[in-house]
Amino acid sequence: MPVKRCLALLLTLLLSLTALAQRPKVGVVLSGGGAKGASHVGVLKVLEENGIPIDYIVGTSMGAIVGGLYAIGYSAAELDSLIMAQDWNFLLSDRIPRSSRMFERKQNQDKFVLQIPFGAGDYSRLGPRKPRKPDEPAALLSNIPLAVVNGQNIYNLFTHLSVGYQDSLDFSRMPIPFACVAVDLKSKKEVVFKSGNFVDAIRASMAIPGYFAPMRIGDMVLVDGGVLNNYPADVCKEMGADIIIGIVLHNEPKEDDDIDNIGDLASEILDLYVYGKLPDNLAMTDLAVYPDTKGYGTLSYDPVSLRKIIDNGEAAAREHQAELEAIKARLDQSEQEFIGPVKQPEKYRKAVRLDRDSITLGHVSFNGLSAKDYQLLMRKSCLKPGARISGVDLNTEIARFYNTAAFESVTYMLKGQDEPYDLELTFVPGRKSMIGVGVRFDSEEIAAILASVGFHENTLYGSKFNVSAKIAYNLQAQAQYSYVFRSLAQFKAGYRFRKASFNMKNLDELFNMGFDQHSFNLAFATRARNISIDLGARMELFGYRAQINATDFPGYDIDYSRNAFPFAYARFQADSRNDPNFPSRGTQLDAEFDYCFNSMFKGDQTNFMTARVHFSGVIPMGRHFALITTIDNRTLFGKQLPMAYANVMGGSLYGRYMDQQLPFIGFGRPRVYQNVLTDVTLDLRYQFLNNNYVFLSGAYARDFQNLDNIFDNAPIIGARIGYAYNSFIGPLSFNLFWSNHTRKVGAFISIGHAF
């Protein structure tokens, strides 16, 4: 026999013996299930306690998230802490913290329960849109978003936690070789990620159809791998696992007579797809762990549920202690029989955690944006080559870019395996126009609908046009054109119409007030994150429909021929509150000064001025309590003050019946007061069970004509006790109130945002 052939046979024999002598490879399979997938962490804790080495880890959806982070070096204890520390309501949305939004965007989003972007563009939610032919009409459905959530926040969290693993790489070189599963909607086939971009792979695997937008990678449109393979034990076997330990999350099989409603039917039909490969994959599993997830759903991401789900995973694994000890004994025995070292592939080190570490930036680049626009956005940014940044710094800058509303998403990658890391920003332009809808019901106005259409509203600069209407008993409508300069200074021109008819009290008498108001406005404004400054001119025209006697309201001039009022005005607004309805921190300041050139149209009339200040601040008092202080003052200067600008107070909302109206918690019907009116309100608020609140409030107000008679009138005192629930459509509240003016207990019920 030739020497070469003998050597080849000998080498083959030695390799075979070495392979036989190696300890069995252990693979762990983590199935999908949304929040129920938190139970994987509990099982991993028990595997660590038993000293069972994990050679491969494979997951789908939530299993891909937990498995992927475990594969790049996170321990089960670290994953437990991470899951419990997250604000899942924020992560499972595209929202950014209110404190990071531009001022104008805060005002818009605080009113609407639904906002829908529209307008054809060159980009879809997650990548380039297929170009439309010149003669091809735009389809109506092409402007409807692919899902409820684009995935901006969850994507950036993965990036935040995986620094060092954001180049295109072979997943077998991770601390634990990893794979995850997605489904390509175009080919209708399962896609297994064993290499490529780690963050993209996880995001694709968890793209629940209809909730998270699909992920575009190359020509593929990828969704949650659970659609075809929710428990991918076959993938783990192909990777080389000899022993498979699986965590299985699925509904228990139902008897035929249990499928007795449409919900059961839909669930079972879905199971045909989600669990189609489950029997075969379970057959190749050596140990299957079934955590108790009964009573929990895909979106049970509240802290109490997550804590219980993780603990249930740990409890389920401990039920298999004897089997785990047998597996460990088998592995230990194989280690003793091991006849020689096997060279392991080079692996990356553990991922850098930007939630607690800082890094140095290398090269900074961008995609999806013109160089000029990029320079505009980066002008005040801290993301410069050589900068030392924390995760908070990076999140703040990403939020600042995203809150311009010009982009569907703003994501980033930190490339390289060591410092300095190269930062690559990706801007996906969004649909430029927006439809907004708000709905409100309350016991004062019964029902109101707010509808708004903004054209080119979501742009960095240039022309914008918005039309909105409040459809209620007292109708309001407005149209506004604005031009935003690259400096973010803004020119505005607008028109507003208001139709008002309501009952108003003066002393103990009841009067009907009715008028049509037309306002024309020109202004220059500057916008920042928390501040807005306006300088402008305004013309207001009134047409009265209710004839009020001059003697009814002493101190004010009721002259129906005085119906045109030109103003110059200045307004300063600041808002740092973290929530418009139930803030736990922050302040709000709104100050305006108006000068009316009353003599312009009537020489016998004198000019007058109005000054208004609103301040609200939150004082946190522990985890559940907060004290909210609100101060309102409106002061009139001059003689022959027209009734149209009288001081009016009462009701629940600012400006509900007249622009200058101040609310008061003690009574609903508005009342007329003297030239100087001040109201101070203290709210003691208690929060419980996440979104539930109870209030105890007191209000003190005074009015007077001038400094000589400050204390001539009795103070106005009000009190309130109430309950509110912060729902997705806005606050739901019930209040009981009392005042010394009415000496009666009243009730107020409201549903929805204030507008």
Side-chain angles (χ1 to χ4, degrees):
M1 182 180 293
V3 174
K4 286 186 178 181
R5 187 176 179 187
C6 290
L7 290 173
L9 289 171
L10 181 61
L11 180 61
T12 302
L13 178 61
L14 288 172
L15 290 173
S16 299
L17 290 172
T18 300
L20 290 171
Q22 287 186 53
R23 68 163 177 80
K25 299 293 185 181
V26 178
V28 173
V29 182
L30 312 179
S31 57
K36 295 183 287 184
S39 59
H40 299 321
V41 175
V43 177
L44 290 172
K45 284 183 183 179
V46 178
L47 297 183
E48 288 180 355
E49 288 177 12
N50 283 272
I52 294 177
I54 299 176
D55 300 290
Y56 307 101
I57 192 161
V58 180
T60 295
S61 197
M62 188 64 171
I65 297 172
V66 174
L69 293 176
Y70 197 79
I72 61 175
Y74 287 86
S75 67
E78 288 176 315
L79 290 175
D80 187 319
S81 298
L82 277 172
I83 287 175
M84 295 305 301
Q86 302 307 313
D87 180 353
W88 287 96
N89 287 331
F90 170 76
L91 290 175
L92 299 177
S93 73
D94 292 328
R95 292 184 293 110
I96 61 172
R98 187 177 186 273
S99 58
S100 297
R101 298 178 201 160
M102 295 292 284
F103 189 90
E104 202 166 42
R105 200 175 182 203
K106 287 180 186 180
Q107 291 182 311
N108 288 336
Q109 293 190 336
D110 290 349
K111 299 175 184 177
F112 299 111
V113 68
L114 178 66
Q115 287 186 294
I116 303 173
F118 71 94
D122 296 329
Y123 288 83
S124 68
R125 294 183 69 87
L126 283 164
R129 187 193 301 274
K130 183 179 178 182
R132 189 160 47 92
K133 297 176 182 178
D135 58 344
E136 182 183 352
L140 176 63
L141 294 179
S142 68
N143 287 323
I144 298 176
L146 294 174
V148 175
V149 176
N150 182 32
Q152 155 94 10
N153 294 330
I154 195 77
Y155 186 95
N156 284 336
L157 174 69
F158 299 153
T159 309
H160 208 62
L161 298 173
S162 61
V163 178
Y165 287 89
Q166 293 170 22
D167 296 284
S168 183
L169 55 93
D170 182 350
F171 295 173
S172 67
R173 296 179 65 196
M174 292 177 174
I176 300 174
F178 168 71
C180 63
V181 178
V183 172
D184 178 20
L185 291 178
K186 295 177 75 174
S187 68
K188 311 297 187 293
K189 293 180 180 179
E190 178 182 332
V191 177
V192 179
F193 287 98
K194 296 181 182 178
S195 62
N197 185 296
F198 173 69
V199 178
D200 284 354
I202 293 179
R203 172 63 180 82
S205 183
M206 56 149 289
I208 302 170
Y211 188 83
F212 280 114
M215 188 76 189
R216 292 180 183 270
I217 300 179
D219 293 330
M220 297 184 293
V221 179
L222 299 162
V223 297
D224 193 315
V227 172
L228 292 180
N229 194 357
N230 199 50
Y231 176 70
D234 53 338
V235 175
C236 194
K237 194 77 172 177
E238 290 170 5
M239 291 175 71
D242 303 302
I243 299 173
I244 293 179
I245 300 172
I247 300 99
V248 188
L249 307 171
H250 72 284
N251 297 325
E252 294 297 324
K254 291 184 174 68
E255 300 295 334
D256 289 344
D257 58 358
D258 286 332
I259 306 174
D260 54 10
N261 59 59
I262 192 168
D264 292 339
L265 179 63
S267 178
E268 291 303 308
I269 292 173
L270 181 63
D271 284 355
L272 292 175
Y273 295 93
V274 173
Y275 303 111
K277 297 178 72 173
L278 183 61
D280 291 340
N281 283 339
L282 283 175
M284 61 183 73
T285 301
D286 297 274
L287 173 59
V289 180
Y290 292 82
D292 180 10
T293 59
K294 192 173 183 180
Y296 299 103
T298 303
L299 296 177
S300 297
Y301 283 101
D302 61 280
V304 174
S305 296
L306 286 172
R307 180 72 271 153
K308 185 61 176 173
I309 291 169
I310 293 173
D311 292 345
N312 285 355
E314 184 175 343
R318 294 195 187 285
E319 292 176 1
H320 297 277
Q321 184 61 34
E323 294 156 275
L324 292 173
E325 290 175 356
I327 291 173
K328 183 65 168 67
R330 177 183 169 188
L331 296 174
D332 290 344
Q333 184 177 359
S334 298
E335 290 282 2
Q336 293 172 4
E337 297 172 355
F338 185 52
I339 63 174
V342 176
K343 184 178 180 181
Q344 297 294 326
E346 181 185 355
K347 297 181 179 180
Y348 293 111
R349 67 178 187 176
K350 184 178 178 179
V352 175
R353 290 183 57 172
L354 270 182
D355 59 335
R356 65 184 186 189
D357 300 324
S358 295
I359 60 168
T360 301
L361 294 181
H363 180 64
V364 179
S365 60
F366 63 94
N367 299 312
L369 203 63
S370 70
K372 191 174 288 188
D373 289 351
Y374 180 71
Q375 290 172 4
L376 174 65
L377 288 173
M378 297 295 287
R379 188 165 48 197
K380 297 181 179 180
S381 175
C382 67
L383 304 180
K384 308 290 185 183
R388 187 78 181 170
I389 64 164
S390 67
V392 173
D393 296 330
L394 190 51
N395 284 345
T396 300
E397 290 299 290
I398 295 298
R400 186 172 67 84
F401 300 149
Y402 185 61
N403 80 34
T404 61
F407 307 105
E408 286 278 335
S409 66
V410 182
T411 55
Y412 64 93
M413 288 287 169
L414 288 161
K415 297 190 173 183
Q417 283 76 58
D418 207 345
E419 293 189 274
Y421 294 97
D422 292 336
L423 173 65
E424 182 180 79
L425 295 161
T426 298
F427 298 84
V428 177
R431 294 174 173 87
K432 296 178 180 179
S433 301
M434 182 77 74
I435 294 173
V437 178
V439 180
R440 180 177 174 86
F441 303 90
D442 66 46
S443 51
E444 284 182 12
E445 204 172 26
I446 307 303
I449 297 174
L450 179 65
S452 172
V453 181
F455 299 94
H456 291 272
E457 195 167 273
N458 298 335
T459 54
L460 287 175
Y461 51 84
S463 294
K464 303 183 180 189
F465 183 69
N466 180 278
V467 179
S468 64
K470 177 185 175 182
I471 304 168
Y473 178 75
N474 289 303
L475 176 70
Q476 294 184 48
Q478 67 178 18
Q480 179 170 286
Y481 168 82
S482 63
Y483 186 88
V484 180
F485 300 91
R486 285 182 176 271
S487 62
L488 296 184
Q490 191 175 23
F491 167 76
K492 299 191 300 185
Y495 163 75
R496 185 168 68 94
F497 169 77
R498 177 175 206 144
K499 182 183 178 70
S501 179
F502 57 92
N503 292 323
M504 182 167 59
K505 270 202 168 186
N506 182 46
L507 300 177
D508 294 324
E509 296 189 55
L510 189 66
F511 300 90
N512 179 258
M513 188 74 173
F515 59 84
D516 294 336
Q517 179 182 356
H518 304 267
S519 299
F520 302 86
N521 182 72
L522 293 173
F524 282 96
T526 180
R527 294 287 185 266
R529 187 177 63 179
N530 292 327
I531 294 174
S532 168
I533 301 173
D534 290 49
L535 298 172
R538 182 175 68 246
M539 170 64 77
E540 296 192 342
L541 305 174
F542 288 84
Y544 296 95
R545 288 179 279 105
Q547 302 295 311
I548 300 174
N549 295 324
T551 57
D552 294 335
F553 296 91
Y556 294 106
D557 181 16
I558 303 178
D559 180 355
Y560 294 104
S561 65
R562 294 177 65 188
N563 57 5
F565 302 95
F567 285 91
Y569 73 93
R571 187 176 186 184
F572 175 85
Q573 298 176 84
D575 188 353
S576 62
R577 297 171 301 163
N578 63 331
D579 187 271
N581 301 308
F582 305 101
S584 58
R585 62 181 183 275
T587 59
Q588 180 187 29
L589 175 64
D590 187 350
E592 182 173 356
F593 179 82
D594 297 343
Y595 187 93
C596 181
F597 297 90
N598 197 29
S599 60
M600 181 178 293
F601 297 105
K602 280 199 169 188
D604 60 338
Q605 303 293 339
T606 60
N607 298 337
F608 66 90
M609 297 172 286
T610 70
R612 178 180 59 84
V613 176
H614 164 80
F615 171 82
S616 180
V618 183
I619 303 173
M621 302 172 63
R623 183 177 177 184
H624 298 286
F625 283 95
L627 181 66
I628 300 97
T629 303
T630 303
I631 302 171
D632 285 295
N633 173 269
R634 187 167 184 269
T635 302
L636 306 177
F637 304 90
K639 299 178 181 179
Q640 298 175 311
L641 296 167
M643 182 61 196
Y645 299 100
N647 277 332
V648 178
M649 184 173 71
S652 60
L653 299 180
Y654 288 91
R656 162 161 276 181
Y657 301 111
M658 300 180 78
D659 289 346
Q660 70 271 25
Q661 174 197 343
L662 302 180
F664 189 76
I665 63 173
F667 48 82
R669 199 179 305 282
R671 294 166 178 251
V672 178
Y673 293 93
Q674 297 183 78
N675 286 10
V676 182
L677 176 63
T678 303
D679 172 24
V680 178
T681 303
L682 293 177
D683 289 292
L684 180 62
R685 187 188 70 207
Y686 174 73
Q687 179 184 4
F688 64 100
L689 298 178
N690 292 330
N691 291 321
N692 294 270
Y693 301 85
V694 290
F695 295 85
L696 184 62
S697 308
Y700 180 94
R702 271 195 177 274
D703 71 319
F704 56 89
Q705 195 70 20
N706 51 60
L707 293 175
D708 296 333
N709 66 344
I710 292 179
F711 299 106
D712 286 1
N713 294 331
I716 308 131
I717 298 173
R720 174 184 65 177
I721 184 170
Y723 163 80
Y725 174 74
N726 194 16
S727 76
F728 72 97
I729 62 171
L732 282 66
S733 66
F734 173 77
N735 300 281
L736 295 175
F737 56 81
W738 174 92
S739 79
N740 63 342
H741 268 204
T742 62
R743 300 195 178 278
K744 294 179 181 179
V745 175
F748 177 71
I749 301 171
S750 67
I751 303 173
H753 295 290
F755 55 80

